[in-house]
Amino acid sequence: GRIYPGFRRRFWRVFDREQYQGVTVYRAWLYPAANRGIVRRSANYVSFCLSAAVRGYLLDFKPEVVIGTSPQLLCAQAAGFIARHYGARFVFEVRDLWPESLVAVNACSPDSRLYRALDRLTQNLYRRASRIVVVTDEFRRRLVERGVDPARIAVIQNGVDAEMFRPGVTPASSAELAGLAGKFTVSYIGTLGMAHSVSTILRAAELLRARDDIHFLIVGNGAERENLLRERRKRRLDNVTFLGQQPWSAIPSYLALSGACVVHLARSPLFETVLPSKMFEIMAAARPLILGVRGEAARLLHEAQCGLACKPESPEQMRDAITQLAADPDLCRRLGQNGRDYVVRHASFQQRATEYIEALQPAVNAEPVPADAARSSRRLLV
């Protein structure tokens, strides 16, 4: 809900554009709101949808392909509006299943008006898309069950910048982290939202309160942050350190500080279909994973042999995984190296970019895109 330095709360920001690493960026106005409160959050979503659509109608070129990503769903809707305006091909990128995700975090019920409205919107986007890009095989299966033609669906998993996220990075240091020296640090780095059930980590910390050699580090921001801080105070967890949201460039240094890293989601059948992107970053940094996610993520963990699994929302199993890793440095090194080897072979950004270009070919109905994209005559709007 914050406006970052260099950006203003002015509607005519919608007419701004800038160059970023050779790419033209067209800025859109939105109403800023943190991820809490249905009315303000809805205003945030709707304002961006309308602003982005208006900006898209005023481009100085005619796009042939428009890619819209989700979440949030109205972002993809804006892309759909723009594609229709220009008669362009619409590519729908699905990174969360909506509106099922709202049910998974108890934000609405399947029989609510909100759910039914979003379901109709989602079905319309699926129907209109020339190509649908999903991040897991389970997403693909769910869409096929909805009646989507499997020939229009491409699966492109999350990837990682293996040069940015790598072993050997200098660990983060600050006054707040001074007491972590010599301790086995268990980190959670990411969004503190309803879907992540970070309170499970706090309950595991409570079970390990007597272990002076183990400390928990939680880095990030989100709708549940204040609740989690209150819970830490209530449970008197001196073995837990909270840091706010950090610059993206600093994340490798926090991974380097960690003895092990937690990836966790609430207990829900829907979350068995997801593959959290932070898994790949932790693996690339050669850190062992403690995974509290079932389904597709657990299958990746098993295939890569890069960490230990525990049941979602089970602080006891999380405690057991932490104590096992804290007692076995050789196991930590072996699991971390396994993860690094896996992502270098299978999940680099370069590999994912190649897969994405291939997935776009049926949408553009053209010859393969040249390797030097800067010289390509085709224009993409994302």
Side-chain angles (χ1 to χ4, degrees):
R2 293 180 297 166
I3 298 292
Y4 285 89
F7 299 90
R8 305 182 300 270
R9 291 196 191 192
R10 296 180 181 176
F11 182 77
W12 51 85
R13 186 89 198 174
V14 76
F15 298 105
D16 286 0
R17 67 177 177 180
E18 62 190 63
Q19 292 294 317
Y20 179 76
Q21 297 185 0
V23 176
T24 302
V25 179
Y26 299 84
R27 293 291 177 186
W29 180 90
L30 56 71
Y31 171 77
N35 189 18
R36 51 182 176 267
I38 294 177
V39 174
R40 295 189 66 218
R41 195 61 175 170
S42 297
N44 174 264
Y45 289 170
V46 172
S47 65
F48 178 80
C49 178
L50 297 177
S51 175
V54 168
R55 187 62 185 91
Y57 291 172
L58 301 174
L59 295 174
D60 52 4
F61 69 95
K62 181 180 179 181
E64 297 175 60
V65 177
V66 182
I67 303 172
T69 191
S70 168
Q72 46 96 358
L73 196 59
L74 294 184
C75 178
Q77 179 63 69
F81 286 150
I82 297 169
R84 178 183 293 175
H85 177 73
Y86 290 104
R89 301 295 181 93
F90 170 50
V91 176
F92 185 17
E93 182 182 271
V94 180
R95 294 189 165 273
D96 269 340
L97 291 177
W98 279 56
E100 295 93 329
S101 295
L102 296 180
V103 176
V105 297
N106 298 316
C108 73
S109 63
D111 58 353
S112 67
R113 290 183 179 180
L114 175 61
Y115 184 96
R116 291 196 297 270
L118 292 176
D119 187 57
R120 286 193 297 270
L121 175 59
T122 305
Q123 288 290 80
N124 184 52
L125 291 170
Y126 289 148
R127 185 167 54 253
R128 290 168 48 202
S130 300
R131 198 76 167 139
I132 299 171
V133 176
V134 297
V135 291
T136 70
D137 291 319
E138 278 296 308
F139 276 22
R140 184 180 189 275
R141 184 183 64 80
R142 292 280 186 109
L143 265 58
V144 171
E145 288 179 351
R146 277 175 166 254
V148 178
D149 180 2
R152 291 195 292 126
I153 306 173
V155 179
I156 302 177
Q157 292 184 349
N158 288 314
V160 67
D161 184 342
E163 293 300 316
M164 177 179 176
F165 292 89
R166 57 182 173 80
V169 174
T170 302
S173 61
S174 65
E176 298 99 323
L177 304 176
L180 275 59
K183 296 187 177 183
F184 186 82
T185 302
V186 181
S187 297
Y188 174 88
I189 303 173
T191 304
L192 307 181
M194 294 181 289
H196 304 89
S197 189
V198 179
S199 61
T200 301
I201 301 174
L202 296 186
R203 295 199 298 273
E206 186 173 32
L207 295 174
L208 289 165
R209 191 200 306 270
R211 291 288 300 265
D212 292 336
D213 59 325
I214 296 175
H215 198 89
F216 291 78
L217 175 65
I218 298 177
V219 181
N221 205 348
E224 290 296 297
R225 178 177 170 81
E226 293 305 318
N227 291 335
L228 292 168
L229 289 172
R230 282 193 292 270
E231 184 174 353
R232 181 187 64 172
R233 290 193 295 268
K234 179 180 178 181
R235 296 179 184 272
R236 299 179 181 178
L237 298 176
D238 296 331
N239 59 341
V240 179
T241 296
F242 274 85
L243 294 181
Q245 185 172 329
Q246 302 298 310
W248 181 246
S249 58
I251 300 304
S253 67
Y254 288 99
L255 293 175
L257 179 71
S258 309
C261 298
V262 176
V263 175
H264 187 269
L265 288 172
R267 187 173 58 244
S268 168
L270 179 66
F271 294 147
E272 296 179 16
T273 69
V274 306
L275 203 53
S277 60
K278 62 171 67 74
M279 286 184 66
F280 295 95
E281 294 158 2
I282 294 166
M283 293 163 67
R287 287 294 176 263
L289 265 163
I290 298 172
L291 181 68
V293 188
R294 287 174 167 170
E296 190 124 356
R299 286 192 288 273
L300 172 63
L301 184 86
H302 178 75
E303 180 182 351
Q305 292 294 295
C306 61
L308 303 180
C310 58
K311 289 181 180 178
E313 299 186 39
S314 173
E316 294 81 12
Q317 289 197 10
M318 187 177 292
R319 172 203 59 195
D320 294 343
I322 292 168
T323 53
Q324 182 180 350
L325 292 174
D328 196 337
D330 289 337
L331 176 62
C332 289
R333 281 192 291 271
R334 187 164 66 252
L335 295 175
Q337 190 59 51
N338 289 346
R340 172 72 185 179
D341 292 343
Y342 183 92
V343 296
V344 169
R345 290 196 309 268
H346 302 293
S348 69
F349 273 170
Q350 290 81 1
Q351 179 174 339
R352 294 294 185 248
T354 299
E355 294 171 1
Y356 215 120
I357 291 172
E358 293 173 353
L360 288 173
Q361 294 310 313
V364 300
N365 191 27
E367 295 296 322
V369 174
D372 185 357
R375 296 180 182 176
S376 173
S377 63
R378 298 198 172 273
R379 307 293 295 273
L380 304 181
L381 180 65
V382 182

